[in-house]
Amino acid sequence: MEGKLKLLMMAALTLLVALTSHAFPATFKDPINPAKPVVWVKSNGYRNVTVGIRDDLLEGDCEMFVDGLKAVTREASRLLHQVTHGTLYFEEVTILLPSTWACTSVPPKPSVPMTWREAHIIVGPTHPVFRDAPWTQQPRGCGQEGDFIYLTETWLKSYQQHADENSAKELVAQWARFRWGVFGEEGYLGDLVHPPSYLLNASSQSRNPTLCHNGDLQGDFSGSCEKEDSANCSFSINTAASSNVTSSLMALPSLLSVLEFCDEDTHNAAVPTKHNLMCGGSSVWQVISRHPDLSGRKEWLGDVEPTFRVQRAEDNTQPSHVDMVLVLQYTSTMSQTLSRWKFLRDAVRKFLLVEAPKGTKIGLVTLTDSAATLAGLTTLTDAASRLSLANKVPENPPTISATKNLEAGIIEAVNILDGNGLVVLVVENLSNHTSEISENLVAAAGNTSVWAVLYPHLPSVSTSLYQDLVDSTNGSLLTVVNPYGPMYQSVDDLVALNNQLRTILSATLEPHSVWMKKDEALCLASCSLTLQVDDEINYRSEVILELSFLFFDAAGLKSIEMKAPDGTVLTPSAVDSKYETIRHHFYTQAQVQQTGNYTVVIERLTYVDGVMVSLLVMPRPPVLPVVWASEPLQELHQSNSSVPTLFVQLWQGECYLVKAAVTATISFSGANVTLMLRDDGTRGDVTGGDGIYSGVIIGVDGQAEVNIVAHGNGGAALLVGSYSSLTLSTSDKTLKSSSQVCCGSQIDLSQVKTEAAGSFYLSSSVEATFLDQPAGDLPPGRITDLSVQYSADSLSLHFTASGEDYYNGEAVAYEVTRQTSLTSEPVVEVFSAPPATANSQITLMLPQNECDVLYVFSVCALDAANTKRSDSSTDESSTAVSHSTPQTAASDSSTSEMSTLVSTSTPPTSSSVPDSSTAETSTQIKLPQFPLLLHLKQPLQY
């Protein structure tokens, strides 16, 4: 009775949760990320799907984003219903706007306690690696949900402008990855495991593209095909001649006729795709149909139109920029000396062109006896937007003789800001300003913060009016004083004005968003100066060397030479043509080292005042880890067929790190387990070089502390990004240019902007709970990077070592299966495991005496009981499987590494493996072959 009562209570609780989550979807949370709402299906419709728009996009595009997302999701919903055979569609979608955005057609609603980071679909800038192609972060295994889908603003704008019907197909294909845990069915240029094409046999030299499809796919091969280099032999589709091809969406979403997934009738398990590797040869539709979303669900005959809610995210982050309006006094007082207005003009232009962070919104107002708006809030997005705003600053000195009206200027600026941001007054204080009282100024400011920069300031003149104003509005008072008197303008005034404008940013933003002065020196006559950047702080790669001088000293500057610490002569960057008093010089870390002594040699013909040389740097943000697992960290399960995997990403601002050294030490019950987390596509890591460091956890139970330690790996660690730092143009949607489409076996960073991460060290801990006792009999881990070398009389197979229990310990032996075609009778040999190298590499030597043969190799690890790793179609663990490739040897007999490896897989045969395990053993499984194909055309010499 008690058991029945408990069951009824659980059923009631489940119903309550389901009903509550529909009414308040943001409270129904993902257990892996409690801030992420859970997507669920009711009456065949997906509910609680959340699309988050990143806050570094332009608010002015808000309407486009909302309208575009609604349109493409409606189209994707209809397509999703079609490709799932009338079963599923998108029913309820929430679009999450940044907290500060105000779209005119979107009524304001209360914010929800989440940000874009917790959304299922993220819209953001162009990605540094995948460019504008949609992609899904997918570190887990077959049938397991991904982390998120990423769409770029450019992709969405393209859909809006061209009504691209392929966009909905691309979105559905990414949803299949994210929700159902399927993978790509295409090849990737340069990928040894998933090449764009593969060789079928040695005699005919026939070749197929690495694509899952039905129908008659027409096209042309190009690249290194004559060298039988599968990894660099690409395939371009003839779309007009391939109109009868209808699958697969996971391979050919850009083909108009493709509207299906590959199923068991059209799927080829021998094609070297990542889906075949990860899912044991099962078709995409087989994996999808086993998912709870579809299993046992009837067709839906109702409406498939989604409903949308537009809400704002919770504002809980430190901003990377601050909105402001600069109110510049523009009366004749500012032109009493020749340089006074030119200093202010140049300092403001430099502030706009160089120093204000990207994304900052700045307005400009001039102040006389009234106020005039030069520019409303303008977002600094690129060089063009910065220059456009800087050109609004008046070039010529003011001639209007008037008393400044501070109240008018404040009111004008507050109206521009609309309650969000701060007002910056840049006004002189050479005489007591008695025409206004502080109470009126404070009232004009309202709830807006006011900062005052008194330029120039005469110390004998009271500042009480401005002090009362800034104190009452949570601002600050800054002054620029010339020790020689207000009628004398020196280079010190210019430098001080620059510094005070920069102080406003330093006081309102995180340090890693603001340029800081590291060193400065003054040169009078010809001189050689030394400025230093120490290595106590990890700085960004850019450094600014800035020269400031009086405008009439410009003609006397004969030559300037700047050298980096390693002696490299720095080439000046383009100087703003409007500057008369400032020059800038930039360099990047890719050209010279960052820390040490910079030398500046200045030769002057004549001079009136000195040249001030300033060295500006920007601290990098701290490296921070993001830690999660294949299951919620507080609910980790383990069994003979599944063990948890730990994931770590390292972020520095908006850049992620690759090639770092990352370890995890798991402490429990007085014991420790240490994992070397890998990002190389082996030993449980799904994709190499994607910045997700992975490790399979074995032998832990109960409550545990997971301590993550990461460092720069002796200088090898690289920063990837930020998202706007592309060096490649957007690719077309053909297989030939798909090397950067997510995701093959390894991410290719060779044409992506990266920079050295420098020296860093971090240690961070999280709590975890393992709910089950450690399994006692685990199979070895799968091999995922099989490659080959050949010489005159032998072949050698190379791969990363497996372990006795997944990747724990050492495998006892390795079983090599050799065939002379994909369907021939296999020959099996077992090799005792040789010692692995320091980086866990294994080499197996094989004799060879035949020629003109296509060899098919597969390798699996054996433990003491001859147990092999499960690769069955129902396996949903997060570890990867080994694939390899058809390959032709070079024509000479010298030792040469085979650089083109194609993954293939064939059904298991009864004679493929001698296995001493009994049928009743829980770890005994069918082992499909994931072979390495090697074609030897020339006789091997003995």
Side-chain angles (χ1 to χ4, degrees), residues 268-386:
N268 182 355
V271 179
T273 65
K274 189 161 188 173
H275 180 80
N276 275 335
L277 181 149
M278 297 298 298
C279 295
S282 293
S283 72
V284 165
W285 183 247
Q286 283 175 311
V287 175
I288 294 174
S289 61
R290 291 194 297 263
H291 196 277
D293 289 354
L294 283 93
S295 181
R297 200 174 296 276
K298 296 181 180 179
E299 289 187 28
W300 175 255
L301 302 178
D303 186 17
V304 297
E305 184 80 3
T307 59
F308 297 93
R309 286 174 296 185
V310 181
Q311 295 181 294
R312 287 176 178 80
E314 186 176 61
D315 186 8
N316 60 358
T317 58
Q318 174 76 13
S320 59
H321 58 267
V322 60
D323 300 345
M324 66 177 67
V325 173
L326 301 178
V327 181
L328 310 178
Q329 183 175 337
Y330 196 60
T331 66
S332 56
T333 307
M334 283 296 185
S335 56
Q336 287 178 344
T337 67
L338 289 176
S339 297
R340 186 175 292 167
W341 175 254
K342 291 182 179 181
F343 279 11
L344 177 56
R345 177 200 64 196
D346 287 358
V348 171
R349 286 185 66 89
K350 183 175 77 74
F351 182 81
L352 299 174
L353 292 171
V354 178
E355 295 182 337
K358 180 181 179 181
T360 302
K361 298 176 183 178
I362 297 180
L364 295 175
V365 170
T366 53
L367 179 64
T368 57
D369 54 2
S370 60
T373 297
L374 301 178
L377 283 182
T378 302
T379 305
L380 304 180
T381 58
D382 53 21
S385 62
R386 290 176 181 272

Side-chain angles (χ1 to χ4, degrees), residues 78-141:
R78 292 189 289 269
L79 178 61
L80 180 64
H81 186 254
Q82 177 179 344
V83 299
T84 57
H85 308 301
T87 304
L88 296 170
Y89 68 102
F90 294 119
E91 181 180 0
E92 178 187 278
V93 178
T94 297
I95 299 174
L96 195 66
L97 303 178
S99 60
T100 59
W101 283 18
C103 297
T104 56
S105 64
V106 179
K109 290 185 178 182
S111 62
V112 293
M114 62 179 295
T115 69
W116 60 265
R117 291 176 174 83
E118 288 81 47
H120 309 107
I121 303 172
I122 297 171
V123 179
T126 296
H127 190 270
V129 176
F130 308 126
R131 296 168 281 182
D132 291 307
W135 62 280
T136 299
Q137 182 163 294
Q138 204 174 4
R140 300 173 186 84

Side-chain angles (χ1 to χ4, degrees), residues 11-24 27-29 40:
L13 178 61
T14 302
L15 177 61
L16 177 62
V17 170
L19 291 175
T20 304
S21 65
H22 179 48
F24 307 98
T27 64
F28 192 22
K29 299 300 184 182
W40 56 297

Side-chain angles (χ1 to χ4, degrees), residues 160-482:
Q160 281 284 80
Q161 294 168 1
H162 307 296
D164 187 355
E165 57 192 88
N166 290 326
S167 298
K169 294 197 289 182
E170 291 175 333
L171 180 54
V172 170
Q174 295 305 320
W175 183 261
R177 288 172 167 87
F178 167 75
R179 182 65 179 179
W180 303 319
V182 297
F183 293 84
E185 294 188 295
E186 61 182 337
Y188 304 89
L189 192 65
D191 197 314
L192 301 182
V193 179
H194 311 298
S197 66
Y198 63 100
L199 195 63
L200 289 177
N201 58 65
S203 57
S204 66
Q205 295 292 292
S206 60
R207 185 176 290 279
N208 267 5
T210 304
L211 296 165
C212 189
H213 66 92
N214 62 1
D216 185 17
L217 186 66
Q218 296 293 312
D220 300 305
F221 293 97
S222 61
S224 301
C225 306
E226 70 281 358
K227 301 177 183 178
E228 299 168 0
D229 181 0
S230 295
N232 294 294
C233 177
S234 60
F235 182 73
S236 298
I237 300 167
N238 184 331
T239 55
S242 303
S243 58
N244 67 335
V245 176
T246 61
S247 69
S248 166
L249 276 175
M250 304 307 296
L252 299 165
S254 61
L255 202 59
L256 291 177
S257 56
V258 170
L259 294 169
E260 299 172 350
F261 295 115
C262 271
D263 57 21
E264 51 268 39
D265 295 327
T266 58
H267 180 70
N268 182 355
V271 179
T273 65
K274 189 161 188 173
H275 180 80
N276 275 335
L277 181 149
M278 297 298 298
C279 295
S282 293
S283 72
V284 165
W285 183 247
Q286 283 175 311
V287 175
I288 294 174
S289 61
R290 291 194 297 263
H291 196 277
D293 289 354
L294 283 93
S295 181
R297 200 174 296 276
K298 296 181 180 179
E299 289 187 28
W300 175 255
L301 302 178
D303 186 17
V304 297
E305 184 80 3
T307 59
F308 297 93
R309 286 174 296 185
V310 181
Q311 295 181 294
R312 287 176 178 80
E314 186 176 61
D315 186 8
N316 60 358
T317 58
Q318 174 76 13
S320 59
H321 58 267
V322 60
D323 300 345
M324 66 177 67
V325 173
L326 301 178
V327 181
L328 310 178
Q329 183 175 337
Y330 196 60
T331 66
S332 56
T333 307
M334 283 296 185
S335 56
Q336 287 178 344
T337 67
L338 289 176
S339 297
R340 186 175 292 167
W341 175 254
K342 291 182 179 181
F343 279 11
L344 177 56
R345 177 200 64 196
D346 287 358
V348 171
R349 286 185 66 89
K350 183 175 77 74
F351 182 81
L352 299 174
L353 292 171
V354 178
E355 295 182 337
K358 180 181 179 181
T360 302
K361 298 176 183 178
I362 297 180
L364 295 175
V365 170
T366 53
L367 179 64
T368 57
D369 54 2
S370 60
T373 297
L374 301 178
L377 283 182
T378 302
T379 305
L380 304 180
T381 58
D382 53 21
S385 62
R386 290 176 181 272
L387 184 60
S388 175
L389 184 58
N391 285 340
K392 301 288 179 62
V393 180
E395 184 175 350
N396 297 318
T399 59
I400 301 172
S401 178
T403 301
K404 58 181 180 282
N405 188 337
L406 297 174
E407 184 177 354
I410 293 172
I411 291 173
E412 187 81 3
V414 168
N415 289 337
I416 293 173
L417 288 169
D418 195 22
N420 182 37
L422 55 89
V423 176
V424 179
L425 296 174
V426 185
V427 296
E428 50 77 23
N429 191 42
L430 299 177
S431 61
N432 289 317
H433 186 64
T434 59
S435 61
E436 297 182 89
I437 59 175
S438 61
E439 288 83 358
N440 292 345
L441 301 184
V442 172
N447 296 322
T448 303
S449 178
V450 179
W451 288 59
V453 179
L454 304 184
Y455 163 77
H457 167 59
L458 189 62
S460 61
V461 177
S462 172
T463 61
S464 60
L465 177 70
Y466 301 101
Q467 193 68 58
D468 290 345
L469 172 63
V470 299
D471 288 346
S472 300
T473 60
N474 296 316
S476 288
L477 179 64
L478 307 171
T479 62
V480 177
V481 178
N482 191 302

Side-chain angles (χ1 to χ4, degrees), residues 854-878:
L854 179 70
Y855 279 109
V856 182
F857 291 103
S858 62
V859 176
C860 65
L862 302 176
D863 62 14
N866 275 355
T867 303
K868 297 181 288 293
R869 168 72 193 137
S870 170
D871 293 319
S872 68
S873 60
T874 58
D875 179 32
E876 296 183 356
S877 69
S878 61

